[in-house]
Amino acid sequence: QDVRIRYVRQAENKGAVDNFQFVLDQAQGDYFMWAACDDLWDRKWVEKLCDALVISSAGAAFGQVIPINEFSHPVPHIVLANTFDFTGPRYLRRIRYYLEYEGKGKANLMYSLFKREALLNTKISSYEIDYIVIFYLLNTIDIVSIEGVYFYKRYHVDAAGYVALDKKKVLRKMASFFVPIHLGLIRGYLDNSSCLERLLFLILIPVKYLIAYIA
């Protein structure tokens, strides 16, 4: 009944990627945000991020992540207290993003509040994973981090990112020691880089793996 809300139900299940693209193409406002059905926000999540974009030249703003389980209880994770500030010259912010360990939650930046104009030429279906979408966006925008406002990311027991203190966590930790970063992800970064970046990122692969091991 609120005239500001438009509800669209697809005639068939198009999958997550197509729906991400669909809602972006349908958006008309100055700001845009994707939202997953099972995650939670602080009460002032949108307000605080919007305030940050009003006073900033950044194209997106994000807060901090608190992982929760299916019962909405916080779970231990290295993403806690992490901030996601990727600002400054284009090359530097993309290098910092590339080097940051994926396990520390940087994929959650997909749920930032964006200035819609920053997303106008973005084709989600062109990228295999959310990490690379953000990497692409850092070509043209800064992403600022707001402390003290939280995004509650839902992890289900059968999800790869679930980190409950059980035997599965130990086994997953052992596996991640040997392969902390999927080679397909590295290839995704390289495929979406300039020639100079590609050379630099290849040189920095040992550094990236070292950072992942330390994390």
Side-chain angles (χ1 to χ4, degrees):
Q1 296 178 352
D2 191 319
V3 296
R4 297 170 299 177
I5 297 174
R6 287 186 297 138
Y7 170 77
V8 178
R9 185 177 181 85
Q10 304 287 19
E12 59 184 16
N13 188 341
K14 294 181 175 295
V17 175
D18 282 351
N19 276 300
F20 266 55
Q21 188 68 58
F22 178 81
V23 294
L24 176 57
D25 293 341
Q26 292 291 309
Q28 299 175 357
D30 294 331
Y31 299 96
F32 178 85
M33 179 184 286
W34 284 291
C37 64
D38 55 352
D39 297 330
L40 303 175
W41 298 333
D42 268 350
R43 289 181 62 87
K44 293 192 174 183
W45 173 256
V46 176
E47 177 183 343
K48 293 293 186 181
L49 300 187
C50 187
D51 288 345
L53 290 184
V54 168
I55 63 174
S56 169
S57 61
F62 190 78
Q64 294 173 279
V65 178
I66 295 181
I68 56 176
N69 61 19
E70 66 269 34
F71 305 109
S72 296
H73 298 153
V75 294
H77 198 289
I78 60 173
V79 72
L80 285 169
N82 194 26
T83 54
F84 303 90
D85 196 88
F86 297 101
T87 58
R90 170 183 173 272
Y91 280 113
L92 290 181
R93 64 184 182 239
R94 278 166 59 91
I95 290 170
R96 286 173 51 219
Y97 181 83
Y98 167 77
L99 289 176
E100 178 158 312
Y101 175 43
E102 283 68 25
K104 295 190 73 173
K106 66 184 183 183
N108 289 299
L109 290 171
M110 280 293 294
Y111 299 106
S112 300
L113 178 66
F114 294 92
K115 292 177 179 175
R116 190 173 65 88
E117 62 181 14
L119 299 173
L120 291 180
N121 297 317
T122 304
K123 294 300 179 184
I124 303 301
S125 57
S126 300
Y127 304 95
E128 295 182 0
I129 45 180
D130 41 17
Y131 295 110
I132 307 304
V133 176
I134 300 300
F135 184 66
Y136 162 77
L137 290 173
L138 287 171
N139 266 313
T140 54
I141 66 170
D142 286 346
I143 300 177
V144 294
S145 181
I146 311 302
E147 295 186 17
V149 60
Y150 299 101
F151 173 75
Y152 297 87
K153 176 64 179 176
R154 182 88 60 183
Y155 286 96
H156 300 278
V157 291
D158 58 348
Y162 187 70
V163 289
L165 296 175
D166 56 16
K167 293 180 181 179
K168 289 183 180 179
K169 179 188 175 184
V170 176
L171 293 174
R172 193 174 299 120
K173 189 73 174 179
M174 292 173 61
S176 67
F177 179 80
F178 295 102
V179 188
I181 305 165
H182 195 280
L183 292 179
L185 182 58
I186 297 290
R187 185 169 59 250
Y189 288 129
L190 297 177
D191 288 345
N192 290 276
S193 301
S194 66
C195 292
L196 179 59
E197 284 179 324
R198 193 173 297 122
L199 175 61
L200 181 59
F201 291 160
L202 284 170
I203 294 172
L204 288 174
I205 285 178
V207 177
K208 181 168 178 60
Y209 271 75
L210 178 61
I211 291 172
Y213 283 128
I214 292 173

